[in-house]
Amino acid sequence: MKTKNSIREIRELRGFSQAWVAEALGTSQSQIDRLEKGQRRLTVEWLNKLADFFDTDIGTLLGNRSPTINQERQEDNTTPIHATIPHNSSVIFDILERIHLSVPTPYGIQKSNIINDVIGFIISNNSLSERWSDGDILYGDKSINYKDESAEALLRDYFRCPFLVFIGNTKCFCARLVESSGDSFSFRAEHPNGNWEKFSYRRDDIISMHRILEWEELLYGWRRVSFFQTFEDAVNKFNAK
């Protein structure tokens, strides 16, 4: 028996994908999908967990009140989400001036000092498919142009971080940074053929690079930092003991 609830509607209003929610709650995407469709019973534990995660109440989760009405959020506290047009043969797409919709500003952005420098847009391909899919809402931090950062700092602090990279006034792509040198950047993304491939751009051919905010920043306002080291470094450290 399927039970009607508002989980999917609330999630979409927050601008999160099922994959994001699943990772944040330590479960699978299929589990979230079943909960949204009413194919799995909502226990008290799940209701409390989802209510805390979405910053709402259990009554709204169960569909007793419209999720578009949230007394804790001001009506004008929204972020415009730009429409996009994909280039079918590559990871490139265009971000349009046209606003596709407006969504409640994620809590983590509300409490940050970059709220006026965030660009919301709909990704129109699967270039970051391990976390976001075609049609998901992404948020870019335009307060810093990482093109101007040193190669050493980028690899130390942002290796494998997702970036929104502009190569024209509206033309851009989303990919993970995997290499950086004095005059070029290398990225990794899923291409339309379904293969994950590495590709490079000269620094001079890039207009700007902006970090894509990940779920911790959207929910809580802080960024999880992952540290990477080469296998050789790990071996040397072990042998030095």
Side-chain angles (χ1 to χ4, degrees), residues 19 201 203:
Y201 270 88
R203 190 182 289 258

Side-chain angles (χ1 to χ4, degrees), residues 44-114:
V44 173
E45 180 184 2
W46 266 114
L47 286 170
N48 287 326
K49 187 181 294 188
L50 289 166
D52 289 341
F53 180 83
F54 288 121
D55 189 26
T56 188
D57 56 74
I58 291 176
T60 303
L61 279 174
L62 293 175
N64 297 334
R65 287 184 292 278
S66 171
T68 60
I69 301 174
N70 189 334
Q71 299 299 327
E72 299 178 4
R73 297 175 183 270
Q74 298 181 7
E75 292 183 3
D76 60 349
N77 191 14
T78 60
T79 297
I81 305 300
H82 292 263
T84 55
I85 298 178
H87 293 214
N88 292 330
S89 59
S90 72
V91 297
I92 295 171
F93 60 95
D94 287 283
I95 293 183
L96 307 180
E97 288 292 330
R98 179 170 60 84
I99 303 302
H100 180 71
L101 76 163
S102 292
V103 300
T105 302
Y107 175 72
I109 294 177
Q110 291 182 41
K111 62 182 289 188
S112 72
N113 58 3
I114 63 167

Side-chain angles (χ1 to χ4, degrees), residues 3-218:
T3 305
K4 170 68 176 176
N5 62 63
S6 298
I7 298 172
R8 178 175 180 176
E9 190 174 357
I10 295 169
R11 174 177 62 78
E12 291 177 344
L13 283 170
R14 297 293 189 269
F16 300 133
S17 68
Q18 285 184 343
W20 272 12
V21 176
E23 181 176 348
L25 297 181
T27 187
S28 65
Q29 183 173 345
S30 60
Q31 171 84 300
I32 299 300
D33 185 59
R34 289 195 293 270
L35 289 170
E36 289 183 352
K37 292 176 178 177
Q39 296 173 349
R40 184 176 178 86
R41 187 170 65 88
L42 278 168
T43 63
V44 173
E45 180 184 2
W46 266 114
L47 286 170
N48 287 326
K49 187 181 294 188
L50 289 166
D52 289 341
F53 180 83
F54 288 121
D55 189 26
T56 188
D57 56 74
I58 291 176
T60 303
L61 279 174
L62 293 175
N64 297 334
R65 287 184 292 278
S66 171
T68 60
I69 301 174
N70 189 334
Q71 299 299 327
E72 299 178 4
R73 297 175 183 270
Q74 298 181 7
E75 292 183 3
D76 60 349
N77 191 14
T78 60
T79 297
I81 305 300
H82 292 263
T84 55
I85 298 178
H87 293 214
N88 292 330
S89 59
S90 72
V91 297
I92 295 171
F93 60 95
D94 287 283
I95 293 183
L96 307 180
E97 288 292 330
R98 179 170 60 84
I99 303 302
H100 180 71
L101 76 163
S102 292
V103 300
T105 302
Y107 175 72
I109 294 177
Q110 291 182 41
K111 62 182 289 188
S112 72
N113 58 3
I114 63 167
I115 186 169
N116 295 321
D117 295 306
V118 170
I119 177 172
F121 61 97
I122 296 177
I123 189 169
S124 53
N125 56 43
N126 289 315
S127 61
L128 296 172
S129 62
E130 84 286 6
R131 178 158 296 188
W132 296 283
S133 300
D134 182 3
D136 282 346
I137 295 174
L138 276 66
Y139 299 86
D141 172 13
K142 297 191 72 175
S143 65
I144 300 177
N145 181 359
Y146 287 88
K147 169 191 172 181
D148 301 325
E149 296 288 311
S150 70
E152 179 181 323
L154 280 171
L155 288 181
R156 182 188 66 233
D157 299 331
Y158 301 107
F159 176 65
R160 287 192 55 79
C161 281
F163 278 87
L164 170 65
V165 182
F166 281 90
I167 54 175
N169 290 334
T170 63
K171 188 178 296 184
C172 56
F173 62 85
C174 293
R176 292 190 178 276
L177 178 71
V178 293
E179 288 181 15
S180 176
S181 64
D183 60 357
S184 67
F185 300 100
S186 293
F187 304 91
R188 190 169 183 270
E190 181 180 329
H191 288 247
N193 60 12
N195 295 326
W196 281 83
E197 299 175 10
K198 187 173 79 170
F199 57 98
S200 300
Y201 270 88
R202 286 173 45 83
R203 190 182 289 258
D204 291 342
D205 294 331
I206 293 175
I207 295 177
S208 62
M209 279 174 54
H210 309 285
R211 235 176 17 87
I212 294 173
L213 303 177
E214 302 203 57
W215 67 266
E216 299 94 345
E217 296 169 284
L218 297 177

